[in-house]
Amino acid sequence: MPTYKAPVRDFQFLLFDVLDIEQHKALPGFEEASRELISAILDEAAKFSEEVLQPLNAVGDEQGCRLENGVVTTPDGFRQAYQTLVENGWPALTADPNYGGQGLPNTLSQVFNEMVSSANMAFGMYPGLSHGAYSALLHHGSDVLKETYLPKLVSGEWTGTMNLTEPHCGTDLGLMRTKAVPQPDGAYQISGQKIFISAGEHDLAENIVHLVLARIEGAPEGIKGVSLFVVPKFLVNSDGTLGARNGVSCGALEKKMGIHGNATCVLNYDGATGYLVGEEHKGMRAMFTMMNEARLGVGLQGLSQSEVAYQNALAYATERLQGRALTGPKQPSKPADPLIVHPDIRRMLLNLKSFNEGARALLLWTALKGDLSHKSPDEKIREESDDLMSLLTPVVKGHLTDRGFALAVEAQQVYGGHGYIDEWGMGQFVRDARIAMIYEGANGVQALDLVGRKLAQNGGRAVFAFLAELATFIETQKNDEDLAPLVKALEVSRADLEAATMWFMENALSNFDHAGAGSTDYMHLFGLVAIGYMWGLMGQAAKSRLKDGAPDAEFFKTKLATGRYYAERVLPETGLHLTRIRAGADMMMSFEVEAF
Amino acid sequence: MPTYKAPVRDFQFLLFDVLDIEQHKALPGFEEASRELISAILDEAAKFSEEVLQPLNAVGDEQGCRLENGVVTTPDGFRQAYQTLVENGWPALTADPNYGGQGLPNTLSQVFNEMVSSANMAFGMYPGLSHGAYSALLHHGSDVLKETYLPKLVSGEWTGTMNLTEPHCGTDLGLMRTKAVPQPDGAYQISGQKIFISAGEHDLAENIVHLVLARIEGAPEGIKGVSLFVVPKFLVNSDGTLGARNGVSCGALEKKMGIHGNATCVLNYDGATGYLVGEEHKGMRAMFTMMNEARLGVGLQGLSQSEVAYQNALAYATERLQGRALTGPKQPSKPADPLIVHPDIRRMLLNLKSFNEGARALLLWTALKGDLSHKSPDEKIREESDDLMSLLTPVVKGHLTDRGFALAVEAQQVYGGHGYIDEWGMGQFVRDARIAMIYEGANGVQALDLVGRKLAQNGGRAVFAFLAELATFIETQKNDEDLAPLVKALEVSRADLEAATMWFMENALSNFDHAGAGSTDYMHLFGLVAIGYMWGLMGQAAKSRLKDGAPDAEFFKTKLATGRYYAERVLPETGLHLTRIRAGADMMMSFEVEAF
């Protein structure tokens, strides 16, 4: 059976040495986030993930959820674990103190979420979706809605969902058919069918707060006629107690490839009472608040499965004795050497390690930009941070989930035949990771968001700022002896990113298909460069700690070595992406549909 | 539910136009293989796969196999389908006429196997493994063994298995513990436990012929003390009728990620009667006969899942209306355009199409080398063909299964959320394809076989012959206007392959770790170039047919266009592999185990 150990040491390094989170202690929320408190949170989160959630991961996969008479039962142990989550106050960690939250920086949520997701991704989706519902209501709900729903979402007593997809309408939400009919009391009657609703029905909490996109009768056609509603599973009385069951029910549970422990529901709305969130016909704006945040959380899921898969593959590679080193026996007294003597095994493990640590840095770096975009008193910093967070959100979602999945597959490969057998648990990591490439906007849609929207915003202000930040870093660090191999590779890859960006600017405006044809390559090119930059920042921090004579020198030296591995073996891929981008759309668009 | 249509037209093109199989009609077996017969076989194979096997694919996945009181029951419909397979004489297609076979070229087996595997990979493994057992006995068994077992394997009345793996011993067969104790009558008593035995026990046939590796008491240690035995499930009386049940039983069925319809067994040998195949302690030699052939068959499985996944993704992309083309509505009268208007969707589909058709060509080209290596009267052709087949076998196995899997994932991605739902069947293709990267020697082992054994054999004779053949092709075709874009890309990639080969020759002899560190990259570099060459041959054949004014001109023009897509978007990857190979082993070997 697989195991999981939260990478606490690595989180400490990132938060304290690389991001120096304490430098922001003047900001609201950050003043509380002392080194001591953060360390205590890391330890408690690790304990909860390792001891409570991880043991339920295989159980959840095997049992899945059950639907009987409209009631969904989660796998054995999930209720108890959710209870513990609530008792420990985790849902409140970064929530608004006005509604019972602890008000800590959102960056810390990412730390907690990665641990939870590595330990039990299907479980982690229940509180994860609540947080999305919380955000949409916080930013767009009326005071009454906020007072009614937020305290319960923050405490975790209630959970939340996002309802977008319908059978004929996924990415293209303009095709939506779910109807909202205004009622005399200001509420709406919601009718229609939503599918793929994660955590749509379950037995973990006493109420579920559905955020639902629907079309108000007579609304404009398409995406501009879509509004957002909150539809509780149980209506809420004015004194806050639960009232009648609302007209929403779970029609079926989807049978799916993975995340079996999470209930993926068909939800039928049958004249259910709903309340408008934000303005009429402006539902997409409110929904994007949820989605942007959720996209970072999904990128994190890719990393989370790659991390736990790595940990287990590493253990297997050091324990499994099979064959001999190519250069002669390394452990001649034993019947065979451990797998890890083989360069090809090390290649796979180092691909995983260098990605995981770099992706973790990128996630926290991006999340911190998010915090600064809200909390900095300096308007310029708020703007710059928001630019970078918006730019990098699709990159984090798309690159981290595509890579996280591919690397979970690579970790599974380390096991040989045993990797394919359920008992070893590697298949679950692969199957669970697979969904992250799809939901919250399939990765092709992320790539289009990046090249079609984010690049061009404000005349490319965000991407040019990012390129400039990298150029400065490269210029100041390229003569550093230890960092030079990485920085030189980063210089080449940064130039590839710049060239690709310019190519789009020059070609895609006259033919949008050129942007579409290169979008996925661009997203990965961007992700590679961004993680390369993170290795630069980590290398810098590691050097500085080594210079200070910090204990645990091997930890910092390994950071430098892992960064060099990334530079040597992974970063060179950027050139291939640039070549493909420059090939443009003509060839692929020239095929008649019948010729496929 | 997914569907499957056998690519009969493409097989005709490859067999008749590209490989011109009729040119070999003087050779034994080929004289029968007229265009008419082959066309009839293609049609019948298509019908069997599409109508009998494909409808059982999802059933097999859902039901899996059951073990009760030592008896394994296959999924509903498998028995009947196997009966039909036997009645139609498919197992005899390319088998030796001395034992009831039709004696057709083995190349035709690959055609049949691809269809079967696309339609139902788990089912296809039952006859597939029989063929491996047949080959080992044919080439290494005594006359008595051949007369006893071959006719029944050829008719399909009995099936076969390969027993190598034990719990502590996978790739490193020298660690094997299963014992063989000589008996006074010349037979042996076999005792031990084998795991991961595909088709190890089932209800499809009245007897199962296990080929088992074991160590004769007192044998030398390691791989040089391993012998091969045939151990029937039921002993065979001298008159050919079935006798007593032998001491081999199924202890458990593995629960696994995919190929649920195939029984993956733990087999316990408890003093079972076995008969030596070939010489004492030379079991590996005989086993390699089975394994080499099986490796092509596994490469084919990678392609087979990519092919069926492509067909379904293409149908979805043309039917699913969602969003609008980037350049403006393509079907303004409909609520949305089909997915296939999007360049990023076309990118995925063309990655699939250009791989599938190229990989199919490579498989048949390699299989034909195999036929020529056995059947040509010209010793030089036999040697050259054997060289190329040996060289390309690990490439076909490793490259086609890694890519086939990755592309099945890409096809799944075309479906968005629906790709993750069991009902659409895409997850099964991905899960089934996954095993092909692992069994029959994990792909890392294939890569090592390529760089550690095949490259150096006879002073690199095979690889230099391959490079020379490509150089000649490039030289003669580079000025052809239609082929030039492909040929020029191939020239660059061929140079990458040559450079990588020379790098190994210069560096890996002094440090084998350099070979190990670059082995997987080299395998893929080789696969890319080999498929690029196939696109060259296909382009040449298509041009020639167009020049002849053949009907169906669009088919041939599409071949040229698909080859150009491969050249433009896929072949450039070779440069990345070369860069990684040249990075060598130093970085990855410098990590202490504790530093991972």
Side-chain angles (χ1 to χ4, degrees):
Chain A
M1 295 297 282
T3 58
Y4 172 64
K5 188 106 184 81
V8 170
R9 180 72 190 84
D10 209 42
F11 281 120
Q12 288 175 331
F13 171 66
L14 290 172
L15 293 171
F16 302 137
D17 299 335
V18 181
L19 300 176
D20 188 13
I21 196 164
E22 291 170 304
Q23 73 180 293
H24 302 296
K25 65 180 161 211
L27 305 186
F30 286 79
E31 69 271 277
E32 307 278 327
S34 66
R35 183 177 279 251
E36 291 66 36
L37 180 71
I38 291 175
S39 295
I41 289 172
L42 289 174
D43 289 343
E44 283 305 308
K47 210 172 134 188
F48 176 65
S49 313
E50 295 165 7
E51 295 175 13
V52 177
L53 297 184
Q54 196 278 332
L56 300 177
N57 194 41
V59 177
D61 187 54
E62 209 180 309
Q63 292 186 357
C65 295
R66 279 175 297 120
L67 170 67
E68 279 165 343
N69 305 319
V71 176
V72 171
T73 310
T74 53
D76 291 350
F78 272 44
R79 263 181 78 91
Q80 180 88 49
Y82 188 78
Q83 204 61 41
T84 306
L85 176 97
V86 171
E87 281 162 14
N88 292 355
W90 289 114
L93 189 68
T94 61
D96 188 332
N98 290 322
Y99 302 101
Q102 277 187 261
L104 288 165
N106 199 39
T107 306
L108 292 180
S109 278
Q110 305 298 337
V111 174
F112 177 69
N113 291 346
E114 186 197 312
M115 294 189 198
V116 167
S117 189
S118 282
N120 195 325
M121 182 168 146
F123 178 91
M125 292 168 67
Y126 293 103
L129 284 153
S130 297
H131 200 261
Y134 157 83
S135 289
L137 282 171
L138 182 72
H139 294 108
H140 303 280
S142 65
D143 287 347
V144 173
L145 289 181
K146 285 199 262 197
E147 276 153 31
T148 308
Y149 295 101
L150 289 184
K152 297 291 193 177
L153 285 169
V154 169
S155 70
E157 286 165 278
W158 300 351
T159 68
T161 71
M162 294 170 61
N163 289 237
L164 291 80
T165 307
E166 300 179 6
H168 59 286
C169 126
T171 299
D172 188 354
L173 292 169
L175 300 174
M176 189 169 295
R177 291 183 195 149
T178 297
K179 273 191 323 193
V181 182
Q183 303 298 303
D185 64 353
Y188 291 79
Q189 273 198 356
I190 313 288
S191 299
Q193 189 178 62
K194 295 288 181 177
I195 63 170
F196 301 164
I197 309 306
S198 300
E201 179 58 57
H202 57 76
D203 56 358
L204 302 182
E206 59 182 4
N207 202 7
I208 302 176
V209 183
H210 301 294
L211 276 282
V212 185
L213 285 182
R215 184 181 298 285
I216 296 173
E217 273 193 327
E221 282 203 2
I223 201 72
K224 287 174 182 161
V226 167
S227 306
L228 182 65
F229 299 88
V230 56
V231 182
K233 173 178 168 184
F234 286 99
L235 295 170
V236 183
N237 299 321
S238 53
D239 64 355
T241 57
L242 293 187
R245 179 76 194 245
N246 204 353
V248 48
S249 61
C250 175
L253 290 180
E254 301 286 0
K255 291 175 82 173
K256 55 197 193 295
M257 189 177 183
I259 49 164
H260 294 161
N262 200 277
T264 306
C265 301
V266 175
L267 287 188
N268 296 318
Y269 289 86
D270 198 10
T273 301
Y275 311 97
L276 185 68
V277 179
E279 294 173 52
E280 279 185 5
H281 317 322
K282 304 280 190 202
M284 289 311 295
R285 192 191 294 170
M287 202 45 119
F288 270 122
T289 304
M290 287 171 80
M291 284 180 63
N292 265 319
E293 201 173 298
R295 285 196 284 169
L296 280 191
V298 173
L300 177 153
Q301 291 181 329
L303 159 62
S304 76
Q305 297 310 290
S306 178
E307 169 66 30
V308 68
Y310 169 69
Q311 291 187 15
N312 286 280
L314 173 59
Y316 192 80
T318 51
E319 286 159 17
R320 173 82 169 175
L321 304 181
Q322 201 78 184
R324 290 295 186 187
L326 297 171
T327 50
K330 286 277 187 289
Q331 303 193 357
S333 64
K334 296 202 175 151
D337 290 335
L339 290 179
I340 200 165
V341 302
H342 291 288
D344 194 58
I345 296 287
R346 287 171 167 251
R347 175 187 64 79
M348 295 192 272
L349 292 173
L350 287 170
N351 284 347
L352 281 146
K353 181 180 169 68
S354 65
F355 168 79
N356 291 345
E357 296 176 12
R360 180 174 299 126
L362 180 60
L363 249 163
L364 296 189
W365 185 88
T366 307
L368 185 56
K369 295 290 175 206
D371 275 322
L372 295 176
S373 77
H374 295 305
K375 296 187 171 167
S376 175
D378 181 335
E379 195 190 323
K380 193 161 159 50
I381 291 180
R382 284 205 308 275
E383 180 184 283
E384 286 169 1
S385 301
D386 189 59
D387 276 359
L388 289 173
M389 197 207 52
S390 301
L391 180 70
L392 280 156
T393 294
V395 174
V396 166
K397 198 285 186 180
H399 184 66
L400 266 57
T401 59
D402 275 359
R403 290 300 161 120
F405 171 77
L407 287 164
V409 170
E410 206 148 304
Q412 185 185 26
Q413 191 71 13
V414 170
Y415 281 72
H418 298 275
Y420 202 65
I421 305 297
D422 288 351
E423 174 189 353
W424 291 87
M426 299 304 284
Q428 185 186 352
F429 301 141
V430 170
R431 289 183 289 101
D432 286 359
R434 183 67 185 90
I435 189 58
M437 297 156 71
I438 299 174
Y439 62 16
E440 224 48 56
N443 284 355
V445 176
Q446 304 298 326
L448 264 191
D449 175 54
L450 178 65
V451 299
R453 197 176 297 148
K454 300 298 172 61
L455 266 199
Q457 255 167 14
N458 305 306
R461 189 175 71 199
V463 67
F464 290 126
F466 183 74
L467 287 167
E469 181 171 333
L470 261 67
T472 304
F473 177 83
I474 290 163
E475 206 44 48
T476 56
Q477 302 296 324
K478 71 196 290 188
N479 296 319
D480 180 295
E481 198 182 333
D482 297 309
L483 293 181
L486 167 65
V487 173
K488 279 179 183 154
L490 185 59
E491 190 170 20
V492 173
S493 292
R494 183 204 161 280
D496 289 340
L497 179 61
E498 190 168 51
T501 307
M502 297 316 294
W503 193 89
F504 283 134
M505 305 259 168
E506 284 158 21
N507 295 279
L509 291 175
S510 59
N511 179 359
F512 290 152
D513 279 338
H514 284 319
S519 56
T520 290
D521 279 294
Y522 188 77
M523 179 176 76
H524 288 301
L525 167 49
F526 213 122
L528 289 161
V529 172
I531 291 181
Y533 178 40
M534 293 302 120
W535 275 114
L537 296 179
M538 288 192 281
Q540 216 180 2
K543 277 210 67 171
S544 151
R545 294 304 311 278
L546 282 168
K547 206 173 140 206
D548 295 348
D552 202 5
E554 286 308 315
F555 177 87
F556 300 109
K557 285 184 192 159
T558 298
K559 285 287 173 203
L560 289 165
T562 309
R564 280 204 294 274
Y565 178 89
Y566 193 83
E568 200 171 278
R569 292 257 166 185
V570 186
L571 267 183
E573 194 185 312
T574 55
L576 173 61
H577 292 297
L578 176 60
T579 301
R580 290 200 191 124
I581 289 164
R582 283 178 167 158
D586 296 341
M587 190 72 233
M588 59 178 84
M589 299 316 286
S590 72
F591 280 73
E592 298 295 328
V593 171
E594 298 69 30
F596 276 85
Chain B
M1 294 297 284
T3 58
Y4 172 64
K5 188 106 185 83
V8 169
R9 180 73 191 84
D10 209 41
F11 281 120
Q12 287 175 331
F13 171 66
L14 290 172
L15 293 171
F16 302 137
D17 298 335
V18 181
L19 300 176
D20 188 13
I21 197 163
E22 291 171 303
Q23 73 180 291
H24 302 295
K25 64 179 161 213
L27 305 187
F30 286 80
E31 68 271 274
E32 307 278 328
S34 66
R35 183 177 278 253
E36 291 65 36
L37 181 71
I38 291 175
S39 294
I41 289 173
L42 288 175
D43 289 342
E44 283 304 309
K47 209 172 135 190
F48 177 65
S49 312
E50 295 166 6
E51 296 175 12
V52 177
L53 297 184
Q54 196 278 331
L56 301 176
N57 194 41
V59 177
D61 186 55
E62 208 179 308
Q63 292 186 357
C65 297
R66 279 176 298 119
L67 170 67
E68 279 165 344
N69 305 319
V71 177
V72 171
T73 310
T74 53
D76 290 351
F78 273 44
R79 264 180 76 91
Q80 181 86 50
Y82 188 78
Q83 204 60 42
T84 307
L85 175 96
V86 171
E87 281 162 13
N88 291 356
W90 288 114
L93 189 68
T94 60
D96 188 333
N98 291 321
Y99 303 100
Q102 278 188 258
L104 287 166
N106 198 40
T107 305
L108 292 180
S109 279
Q110 305 298 337
V111 175
F112 177 69
N113 290 346
E114 188 197 311
M115 294 189 198
V116 168
S117 190
S118 282
N120 195 325
M121 181 167 147
F123 178 91
M125 292 168 67
Y126 293 103
L129 284 152
S130 297
H131 199 261
Y134 157 84
S135 287
L137 283 170
L138 181 73
H139 294 110
H140 303 280
S142 66
D143 288 346
V144 173
L145 290 181
K146 286 199 262 197
E147 279 152 29
T148 307
Y149 295 101
L150 290 184
K152 297 289 194 178
L153 286 170
V154 168
S155 71
E157 286 165 276
W158 299 353
T159 68
T161 71
M162 294 170 63
N163 290 238
L164 292 80
T165 307
E166 301 180 6
H168 60 286
C169 126
T171 300
D172 188 354
L173 292 169
L175 301 174
M176 189 169 294
R177 290 184 194 146
T178 297
K179 271 190 324 193
V181 182
Q183 302 298 303
D185 65 354
Y188 291 79
Q189 275 199 355
I190 313 287
S191 300
Q193 188 178 63
K194 294 288 182 179
I195 63 169
F196 301 164
I197 309 308
S198 300
E201 178 59 55
H202 57 76
D203 57 357
L204 303 181
E206 59 181 4
N207 203 6
I208 303 176
V209 183
H210 301 294
L211 276 282
V212 185
L213 285 182
R215 185 182 296 286
I216 297 173
E217 272 194 328
E221 282 202 2
I223 202 72
K224 288 176 181 158
V226 167
S227 305
L228 183 66
F229 300 88
V230 56
V231 183
K233 173 177 167 184
F234 286 99
L235 295 171
V236 183
N237 299 323
S238 52
D239 64 355
T241 59
L242 293 187
R245 178 76 194 244
N246 203 352
V248 48
S249 60
C250 175
L253 290 180
E254 301 286 0
K255 292 175 81 171
K256 55 200 193 294
M257 190 178 183
I259 50 166
H260 294 160
N262 200 278
T264 306
C265 301
V266 175
L267 286 187
N268 296 318
Y269 289 85
D270 198 12
T273 300
Y275 311 97
L276 186 68
V277 179
E279 293 174 52
E280 281 186 3
H281 317 322
K282 305 279 190 201
M284 290 310 295
R285 193 190 295 169
M287 202 43 119
F288 271 121
T289 305
M290 289 171 78
M291 283 178 64
N292 265 320
E293 199 171 299
R295 284 196 284 169
L296 280 192
V298 173
L300 176 154
Q301 291 181 329
L303 159 62
S304 75
Q305 297 311 290
S306 178
E307 169 66 31
V308 68
Y310 169 71
Q311 292 187 14
N312 286 280
L314 173 59
Y316 191 81
T318 52
E319 287 159 17
R320 174 82 169 174
L321 304 182
Q322 201 78 184
R324 290 295 185 188
L326 297 172
T327 51
K330 287 276 186 289
Q331 303 193 358
S333 64
K334 296 202 174 153
D337 289 335
L339 290 178
I340 201 165
V341 302
H342 291 287
D344 194 58
I345 296 286
R346 288 170 166 251
R347 176 187 64 80
M348 295 192 274
L349 292 174
L350 287 169
N351 283 347
L352 281 145
K353 180 180 171 68
S354 65
F355 168 80
N356 291 345
E357 295 175 13
R360 180 173 299 125
L362 181 60
L363 249 161
L364 296 189
W365 184 88
T366 308
L368 184 57
K369 296 289 173 206
D371 275 322
L372 295 176
S373 77
H374 295 305
K375 297 187 171 167
S376 175
D378 181 335
E379 194 189 324
K380 196 163 156 50
I381 291 180
R382 284 206 306 275
E383 180 183 283
E384 285 170 0
S385 300
D386 188 60
D387 276 359
L388 288 174
M389 196 208 53
S390 301
L391 179 70
L392 280 156
T393 294
V395 174
V396 167
K397 198 282 185 180
H399 185 67
L400 266 57
T401 59
D402 275 0
R403 289 299 160 121
F405 171 78
L407 288 163
V409 171
E410 206 148 303
Q412 185 185 27
Q413 190 71 14
V414 171
Y415 281 73
H418 297 275
Y420 202 65
I421 305 297
D422 289 351
E423 170 188 359
W424 291 87
M426 299 304 284
Q428 184 186 353
F429 301 141
V430 170
R431 289 183 290 101
D432 286 359
R434 182 67 185 91
I435 189 57
M437 298 156 71
I438 298 175
Y439 62 15
E440 225 48 56
N443 285 355
V445 176
Q446 304 297 329
L448 263 190
D449 175 54
L450 177 66
V451 299
R453 197 176 300 147
K454 300 297 171 63
L455 267 199
Q457 255 167 12
N458 305 306
R461 190 176 70 198
V463 67
F464 290 125
F466 183 75
L467 287 167
E469 181 171 335
L470 262 69
T472 304
F473 177 83
I474 290 163
E475 206 45 47
T476 56
Q477 302 296 326
K478 70 196 292 188
N479 295 320
D480 180 293
E481 199 182 332
D482 297 310
L483 293 180
L486 167 65
V487 172
K488 280 180 183 152
L490 185 59
E491 189 170 21
V492 173
S493 293
R494 183 205 161 278
D496 289 340
L497 179 61
E498 188 167 52
T501 308
M502 296 317 294
W503 194 89
F504 282 134
M505 304 261 169
E506 283 158 21
N507 295 278
L509 292 175
S510 59
N511 179 0
F512 290 152
D513 279 338
H514 284 319
S519 55
T520 291
D521 279 294
Y522 188 77
M523 179 176 77
H524 289 300
L525 167 49
F526 213 122
L528 289 161
V529 172
I531 291 180
Y533 178 42
M534 294 302 119
W535 276 113
L537 297 179
M538 289 192 282
Q540 217 180 0
K543 276 211 70 170
S544 151
R545 295 305 310 278
L546 282 168
K547 207 174 140 203
D548 295 349
D552 202 5
E554 286 308 315
F555 176 87
F556 300 109
K557 284 184 192 159
T558 299
K559 285 288 173 202
L560 288 165
T562 309
R564 279 204 294 275
Y565 178 88
Y566 193 84
E568 200 172 277
R569 291 256 167 186
V570 185
L571 266 183
E573 194 186 313
T574 55
L576 173 61
H577 292 297
L578 176 61
T579 300
R580 289 200 193 125
I581 289 164
R582 283 177 167 160
D586 296 342
M587 190 73 234
M588 60 177 82
M589 300 315 285
S590 74
F591 280 73
E592 297 296 328
V593 171
E594 297 70 30
F596 276 85

